Amino acid sequence: MDFKTAVEHEDNNKPVMYQGHRYYVVGHNELLGTVTIREASSNPMFTVPQDVKPEDIDD
C-alpha cells in the first residue's frame, strides 16, 4: 500500500490488514512517511497505536 492510499483509508475509516490482524489507520506523518494504526477492538482503550510504513500494510 502506498502513503496516499493509507491516508484515504484513514479518511474513510476503512480497516487494513497488518501482520494478519485488522487495524484502522488513525493518523499519519507526511514528513516521515509513516501512518499510525490501531488494532480493531471492541475496547480501543486497551490497544496501543503503532507507527508503521505504508508499504508494510497489506491491501
Side-chain angles (χ1 to χ4, degrees):
M1 179 177 293
D2 63 2
F3 185 79
K4 181 179 176 185
T5 305
V7 172
E8 288 174 4
H9 277 266
E10 177 188 4
D11 294 340
N12 296 320
N13 202 29
K14 292 173 62 178
V16 297
M17 294 298 289
Y18 178 71
Q19 296 181 345
H21 297 279
R22 200 167 95 179
Y23 286 80
Y24 286 98
V25 179
V26 295
H28 63 275
N29 185 326
E30 193 169 346
L31 184 62
L32 296 176
T34 60
V35 293
T36 304
I37 58 175
R38 183 182 291 268
E39 190 167 7
S41 170
S42 60
N43 192 345
M45 295 297 290
F46 293 106
T47 60
V48 178
Q50 301 176 24
D51 291 329
V52 298
K53 293 184 179 186
E55 298 85 34
D56 296 337
I57 298 174
D58 301 328
D59 284 338

